[in-house]
Each structure stands twice: as structure tokens, then as C-alpha cells.
Amino acid sequence: MHRLVLALSLLMTSAQAQMDFTNWLAEFSQEARARGISQATLDQALRDIQIAPRVVELDRKQPEFVESFAIYLERRVTPQRIARGQALLAEHQALFDEVEKHYGVPRQILAAFWGLETNYGSVMGDTPIPAALATLAFDGRRSAFFRSQLLDALLLIEAGHVTADEMKGSWAGAMGQMQFMPSTYRRYAVDGDNNGQINLWSSLPDAMYSAANYLQQAGWKAGEPIALHVNLPANFAWGQARLYNRRPLAEWQVAGVVQANGQALPVQAGHAAIILPQGAQGPAFMVFDNFDVVMQWNRSVNYALSVALLADQLMGGSPLPLSGGAPTMTRSQLMRLQQQLTDLGFDAGGADGLPGLKTQAAIRRYQAVHALTADGYPTPALAQHVRESHTNAAFRNELKRDEPSPRFADPVP
């Protein structure tokens, strides 16, 4: 009986949600028509679509385990991906010559984005984009953003670049060989093959010209690297390893920083920073302004480094030697660490379980106060140190927020 009641309740909830979604679509369609989108395009893209539960599930799902840099790199910069990229660079040499000459973006950089985004066009996603964007706009978590993306997707259909049936991609709305969002598509996409249409799925010239155009407009500096693997001196001040601590290369040279391959640092490059994606126990990288350009594409340090390292190996560079590095933490453990740091007066920028720049800065300040290696990297050992400090501060009533004393029955992550 209880199962029957539950099933009926779920059906009623689902039916109500679909009814609300249908009403939302009717209201949205009025706005779209006011933006110049024809009824024919609206019928083609939105008629009879339903909420996509899988899209909502993926949007709300947060993986419990956060990949370390070593694991992230190992899964993406693979021998197979390198070999395939080298073959494609040779196969499409004329195209890459043209794009590189026109935009100043090296071919290996474009190929690295291509490989990481869609495995060279083999995995572009099969989710209907209008339905996915409508679902995300209706669902509410980032409704304004996805509503604007849906409008841009409809404008692309209206312009005749792609049909609604052809417009497929990732669950979050990214499309084509290089996984452009609709707004990026409309602003930066280029008709590389000069056929009067811009199709980022089937036209490789369109995809490559568009990616290079995006990077150029984002500030790409020709002749400057993204990142270099470096060795640090034994007396290096770990607190100086911060993404936005940009200094002239001459200062890093005086400090004893050298390229890991023994080559001299590039004299033509501008200011650079040192970053430690796995803390003091892992590799060190010198990053330049082009690193920031890549970060505009994807706000992930691991992603930006993967672009640089894949590009280097596509041109015959040696693989990065990765030997362990500090252990990683789960997302829930990171959330607890962030909250405890904030309670202790080291603002981590919220407890979201992501080791962003504010969290790294909070860790670095904590490490400096406690005479630890100030690399800003979260590890189980650091979490244990913070947890003990938090417990002691709680018993002394020194926390920055009201916090009940810990119970011995509380699980320790």
C-alpha cells in the first residue's frame, strides 16, 4: 500500500512539474519572439519538449572525490591521445598553417583543446541542447544564465547555422568539436570554410578558426608559453608560489628557479608566477599570461596545465615525471576543512568542497602561522592539524562563530 501511495505521489509530482515547465515555456516563448525569434524556430526547437531529469541530476551532482593533478593528467594526457593528435596535425597541416598564420595561436595549442574537449571530435555529446538548456533555465539553480544561453541557441537556429535536431552536445549546453556554449558560439565562431554557415560540429575549419579567434580575442600572446615545468631551489620560499604573484623572469632566475629540462628561461616572455598543483611534494610550474587566457576557457588550473602539457607532447616533448605527490581529500573532507579554517579566522571563501584560490590562501596563512610548509595545498595531514586546532579553540571559546563542542560520537572523516 505504501509503495502504491509513493508511486502515485511521484507521478503527481512529475505531472505538476511538467505542467509548470509547459507554462514556463509559454512565457519564455513570448520573450524569445520579442528578441526576433520566429514561431517556426520556436516550434522546431521547443515544441513538445519535456523536462530532462538526467540533466537536472547531473547539474546537481557533485562528485565526492576530487581528482589530484597526477590523476587528472594521467586520465587526459594519454599516449593514445598524443599519437592521435600528432596524426591529425599531420593530416590537416594545411588548415593548421592557415589558422596559425591568421591568429598567431600555435597548432599544438588548438589540437590540445580539441583533444581534451571532445577527443578530437569523437565525443561531442548527444544531448538535445534546446531541451537541456530549457530544463536548466527552468530548474532555477542558475536560471538566468541558462535562460540567456537558450535564447542564444535559438538565435543560432534562427540564423540557419544549425537545425534544432542537429544541435546536440553536453548536458550543460556545450556544443561542437570545441564545446562552445551558445553565447560563445554567437560571439566568436567564424566561417572558416567560407560556405556561408558556421557549423562547429561538421566543419573542422569552422571549429579551428573559431577556437583561434576566441583565444586571440581573450588576449593570446604569440610566442609566449602557457606554462613551463621548473625546478625550485632548496631554500625556495613556498609562500611565493601563488597564481597571481607575477614577477619578472629575472627575479625568478636570481631566486634560483630553472627549467626542469635544463634549458634557459625564455627571455621574450613577460611576468610569470610559480604554482604547485600538488603542493610542495609535487611538480612546480612557471605560468605566464597565456595561462590566464586558457583559464578563461576553463577555470581549472589542472585543465590549463593539461592543455600546456598535451601541446608540448604533441610536438615531441617528454612526458611529465609524476612521482606520487601529497594524498588527496574527498569533497566532504574539504568542506569540513574549509569551515574549520573559517571558524579559526582564516576565511576560505565558503565551504564548497573545491580547493579554489581563496581556500589555498587560507591554508597558506594557516600554515605560515603554525610554521608549516606554506604551499597552500590541502592534505589529510593538514586537515588533522586544523581539526586539532579547531577542537582546542572550541574548548577555549575562541572560534569565530558559535560552534557546539564536538561530541565523541561524531564521525571523523
Side-chain angles (χ1 to χ4, degrees), residues 103-267:
Y103 291 101
V105 180
R107 65 198 64 209
Q108 66 269 25
I109 301 298
L110 296 172
F113 277 108
W114 189 21
L116 291 173
E117 289 295 338
T118 63
N119 199 20
Y120 308 111
S122 64
V123 186
M124 291 188 281
D126 58 2
T127 302
I129 294 298
L133 292 174
T135 295
L136 292 167
F138 168 75
D139 185 54
R141 190 175 73 86
R142 298 174 63 195
S143 58
F145 171 76
F146 287 112
R147 187 185 186 100
S148 68
Q149 293 299 320
L150 179 56
L151 284 167
D152 281 325
L154 294 175
L155 288 167
L156 288 170
I157 298 170
E158 184 76 20
H161 296 302
V162 63
T163 68
D165 289 340
E166 294 169 336
M167 187 179 273
K168 294 183 179 180
S170 78
W171 64 266
M175 306 177 291
Q177 302 264 353
M178 305 302 254
Q179 293 292 278
F180 276 21
M181 291 297 289
S183 59
T184 308
Y185 199 132
R186 291 194 63 227
R187 182 172 181 180
Y188 298 104
V190 174
D191 181 11
D193 55 17
N194 295 310
N195 70 348
Q197 292 181 319
I198 304 175
N199 190 311
L200 300 187
W201 291 265
S202 60
S203 173
L204 189 58
D206 289 2
M208 290 303 136
Y209 270 85
S210 299
N213 182 49
Y214 175 91
L215 292 170
Q216 185 193 65
Q217 294 201 42
W220 183 267
K221 293 186 176 180
E224 184 174 295
I226 296 173
L228 297 174
H229 182 207
V230 295
N231 290 334
L232 304 177
N235 63 345
F236 184 75
W238 297 106
Q240 300 302 318
R242 305 192 308 275
L243 181 58
Y244 294 112
N245 180 31
R246 300 297 170 91
R247 297 185 174 188
L249 265 65
E251 290 190 17
W252 292 122
Q253 287 177 313
V254 170
V257 179
V258 296
Q259 278 205 69
N261 62 10
Q263 297 180 6
L265 294 174
V267 295

Side-chain angles (χ1 to χ4, degrees), residues 18-34 39 42 46 49 134 138 147 150:
Q18 183 60 43
M19 184 180 298
D20 292 343
F21 181 62
T22 301
N23 293 335
W24 180 89
L25 278 176
E27 180 270 330
F28 170 83
S29 296
Q30 292 180 357
E31 178 186 353
R33 283 191 292 270
Q39 187 61 49
L42 290 171
L46 302 181
I49 66 170
F138 168 75
R147 187 185 186 100
L150 179 56

Side-chain angles (χ1 to χ4, degrees), residues 68-78 306 309 320 322:
S68 69
F69 169 68
I71 293 174
Y72 187 98
L73 189 69
E74 180 183 11
R75 291 176 176 175
R76 290 163 178 81
V77 184
T78 64
S306 295
L309 293 168
L320 179 71
L322 287 174

